[in-house]
Amino acid sequence: MAAAAGLVFQFRDARWLPDPVLGPSPAVRTPQPVPLVIDNGSFQTRAGWACPDPEVPGEPLLRFRSLAARSRGARGGAGAETQVGNDLGSPEPLRWLLRSPFDRNVPVQLELQELLFDHIFQRLGVSSQGCVDHPVVLTEAVCNPLYSRQMMSELLFECYQVPKVSYGVDSMYSFHHNRRQEWPGNSLIVSSGYQCTHILPVLEGRLDAKNCKRINLGGCQAAVYLQRLLQLKYPGHFAAITLSRMEEILHEHSYIAEDYIEELQKWRSPEYYESNVHKMQLPFSSKLLGSTLTSEEKQERRQQQLRRLQELNARRREEKLQLDQERLDRLLYVQELLEDGQMDQFHKALVELNMDSAEELQSYIHKLSLAIEQTKQKILQAEVSIEVDVVDSKPETLDLDPLGSEQSLEDVEGIHEFEPLFAEEQPEVEKPVTTVEPVFNLAEYHQLFLGTERIRVPEILFQPSLIGEEQAGIAETMQYVLDRYPKEQQALLVQNVFLTGGNTMYPGLKARIQKELLEMRPFQSSFQVHLASNPILDAWYGARDWALEYVNHEEGWITRKDYEEKGGEYLKEHGASNVYVPIRLPKQAPRTTEALAPAKVLAASVGNPCDLA
C-alpha cells in the first residue's frame, strides 16, 4: 500500500503468479508417507505437508483462490482449457467464466472440487502412481451436511485411493493452535470468513454443535456492497470499479468503528473528512492530459481540417451539380420531342421518366433549373469564403485593393468598417492559445474518494439491515447463544472470546466486540477477547499440529475399511471435529389388521393353488 501526497493510494492490481510444480521431497515419504494438510476454504485453498523434518517447510506451500475457469475451445481445433487458482492470472477478464465448488461455505460441486484436488496433488509433486498414498487432513464447514461429507469421502477414497482421511473445523483448528496454557477449555469463537460468520460455543475443548449459529454475511457480501456504493457514486467509472479492487479496499483501507453513530458524526466535519479521506487512484491514460503540439501547430491543424472540410463540400456540390445538369439535359431533350411533334417517342419517354403529362414535365424542369442555380451560387459563395479565410490567415500580407482600379469608394469604406472587428478578434484568438489549460484535473477525475464507506461497509457484520438482510448481527447472535446457557456457563464462555477468520482482520473489530460485551454483560462482570495470531493461516497451522500429534493414532482418522462399512458420511470425532450425527432412517410401520384383511379375503377366494391344479 503505497501512499502519495494527500492520502492518494494506487491500486496494486497484482496479477496472480502461477504455482510452481514442486519436486517430490524424500522426507515426505520416508519412513512412511506423511499427512497432507488441506485447508479447503471458500475464498482460498491452502495445502502443505505435516512433516517433522526441518527440511520440509512448516507452512502451506500452495495458496490459491478456490476458483476454476474453463475457456472455450479455439476455432483451430484446440480443446477447452481449464485453469485453476493462480493459473488464472487475474480474475476480472474471466469473471463471467469463474466457477467455485462452494455454495456459501459448503462444497457441493464434485467436478470442480476434483479440479482443485488435481491441482494440489500435481503441484505438490505427489509421486505415487495411480493413487495418493498420503493421509489427508481436510477442513470442513461447521455442522457440515452429511451429503457434502459423503461426496468428499467418495472422491478421496474412490478417485484418489487415499489410505485415510480426517475432517475438522477450521476455526477449531485455529483455536487449538492459539490456545495457551492459561486459557480455559471453554470459549466462544467468532469465526468470520468469505461467505459466512459463525458463533461457536466450546465447552471443555469440544464444540457444542447444538448451539452453533451462522450469519450469512462475510467478505463476499461486503465487497459486493462496496462495489454498488461506489458505482452509484461514480457512474462514469462503472467498469473500473471491479470486485478485485473492492477486496483490496476492504483489506487495506476499511476499519470497524467502535461507536458507529459517533464515528459518522465525526465524518460530518470538513476538517475530519479532509484528513481521513482516502483517495484511490484509478488507472488512466496520460495522453488525455494534453497534446504535445504547440499553439501554432494546433492552429495550423485546425486550418487544415477546415480546408479539407471545405474541399469535401465543394466536391460534393460539383458532383451534385453535374448529376442535376445531366438530368436537366435529359428532360429538355424530351421537351424538344414534344415541340417537334414526335408524340410516340414523347409518350414513351414520359413512361420511362415515370411521368403522366407534359405539365408535370414542365414543372419538374422548372424545379430542377432552380436547384441548379442555387447549387452554382453555393459553389461561388464557398470559393469566396475560402479566399476570405486565406486573407484572414495572413494579415501581414493583406492587400487593401485586391480589385485594382475597379474597386469603388463604398467598398473601401466597407472594409474600414470591418477592420476594428478583426483587430479585436485577433488578440482573443491568440490569448487562449498561449495560456491554454485543461478544464479539470484528469488525474483527480479518476480518483475514488473513500469517506464513510470505510466504516459503512464493514458495519454490515453488526447491522445486516444496511444491505436489506433480515438477520441478526454479531452482537445480537452472541447474546442469543449466551442466553441458551445458565449464568455460570455464560461467565466461563466470555472469559475467552476468540476471533478468527480472514474477515476479522479489520482494525477496530476487537475493540468493538469488547464494547458490545460490556453492554450485554452484567455490571462488574469480567470477560476477555483474543484475536488469532494469524487469522488467515492459523487454521492450517492448527490442522498441521493435529496431524503431527495423531498421525500414528486411530483417533479422528477414517480408514477405507470404515468408509466401506459405515458409508461416506461417517465421521470419527476428535478435539477439533464436528459432532457425528448418523442418518436415522424412519422405521417401517407394521402392517395393521385392516391392511391384512383384504389380502386374506383374496386368498380365500382364490383357494389353494394345488387344489386348482
Side-chain angles (χ1 to χ4, degrees), residues 446-463:
H446 285 83
Q447 289 177 0
L448 307 179
F449 285 62
L450 301 177
T452 56
E453 293 85 2
R454 297 178 59 196
I455 61 171
R456 185 178 177 183
V457 175
E459 185 65 20
I460 66 174
L461 293 176
F462 294 89
Q463 300 185 52

Side-chain angles (χ1 to χ4, degrees), residues 345-417:
Q345 296 182 2
F346 172 74
H347 289 297
K348 185 177 180 180
L350 281 182
V351 172
E352 293 177 356
L353 295 175
N354 197 17
M355 295 183 183
D356 298 331
S357 62
E359 291 78 7
E360 184 178 357
L361 175 64
Q362 188 65 32
S363 175
Y364 200 84
I365 292 175
H366 178 68
K367 292 179 181 179
L368 196 57
S369 302
L370 293 178
I372 291 175
E373 291 297 328
Q374 292 177 358
T375 304
K376 290 181 179 179
Q377 292 179 3
K378 289 181 180 179
I379 293 176
L380 293 176
Q381 291 176 0
E383 294 176 354
V384 173
S385 63
I386 292 177
E387 293 179 359
V388 172
D389 291 337
V390 172
V391 171
D392 291 341
S393 62
K394 298 180 180 180
E396 66 276 6
T397 60
L398 181 63
D399 189 2
L400 296 180
D401 191 11
L403 301 178
S405 59
E406 297 181 359
Q407 187 177 17
S408 63
L409 182 61
E410 295 178 357
D411 296 333
V412 175
E413 292 177 355
I415 292 176
H416 288 294
E417 291 178 1

